[in-house]
Amino acid sequence: MESANNKLSLKKRILKSLKKWLMVILNPRLLLCIFIAWMITNGWSYVFTVIGTLLEIPWMIITGGAYMSLLWVPFTPEKILTVIIAVFLMRLIFPNDKKTIGVLREELSKLKATYIRQRNKRRQKRIAKKPQ
């Protein structure tokens, strides 16, 4: 399959990959899990800020605003946490959805294989450079 995929032009490979990822990301089940995960990590602070402002509740405005200010600090891992929570919820709520989870597992295994292959190449280069 990999060699057949390499025979396609770059444009077709990009379009094929883009189509696959759009189908995974736009899956209603995954979108629901991403929304729930976002509400767990960030959404509550926006809700607190809006409701606190509308109802003039100072502690809600302060809490929501303080957390939102932390979200805008560079290198905040909230997006990574949101994705991890969304995948966990996907596996928990929809355990039989092999289509989305299967694509994610396949891509993860490809990433691992690529990482291992590149690590081995670096090791071989380092061994070749060592004086004997």
Side-chain angles (χ1 to χ4, degrees):
M1 170 101 178
E2 185 118 358
S3 62
N5 196 23
N6 287 338
K7 291 180 183 178
L8 296 173
S9 68
L10 179 62
K11 183 179 177 181
K12 288 184 180 181
R13 282 188 286 170
I14 290 172
L15 288 175
K16 184 179 176 183
S17 179
L18 185 63
K19 181 182 176 185
K20 178 175 63 171
W21 279 108
L22 279 176
M23 289 184 71
V24 167
I25 293 171
L26 295 179
N27 179 348
R29 294 174 180 165
L30 183 62
L31 286 175
L32 174 66
C33 292
I34 288 173
F35 175 74
I36 293 169
W38 182 81
M39 285 303 290
I40 291 170
T41 57
N42 306 350
W44 66 267
S45 65
Y46 291 93
V47 171
F48 264 37
T49 304
V50 169
I51 291 175
T53 303
L54 291 175
L55 300 178
E56 298 177 2
I57 304 172
W59 70 268
M60 285 181 113
I61 298 170
I62 292 169
T63 305
Y67 188 78
M68 279 194 294
S69 67
L70 288 176
L71 292 176
W72 289 94
V73 172
F75 308 111
T76 304
E78 56 87 18
K79 288 177 184 48
I80 296 169
L81 292 174
T82 303
V83 170
I84 290 170
I85 292 170
V87 171
F88 172 75
L89 289 173
M90 183 79 181
R91 292 178 67 192
L92 186 71
I93 299 171
F94 305 109
N96 296 327
D97 186 13
K98 301 299 180 194
K99 186 176 171 183
T100 306
I101 296 174
V103 170
L104 293 174
R105 283 187 178 155
E106 176 186 328
E107 291 299 317
L108 180 62
S109 66
K110 284 181 185 178
L111 282 173
K112 284 181 181 178
T114 303
Y115 171 75
I116 291 170
R117 192 170 44 251
Q118 289 178 350
R119 184 184 64 192
N120 290 338
K121 282 183 184 179
R122 285 192 303 270
R123 284 182 181 170
Q124 292 298 328
K125 284 182 183 179
R126 195 169 41 232
I127 290 171
K129 286 183 181 180
K130 273 188 180 179
Q132 305 222 359

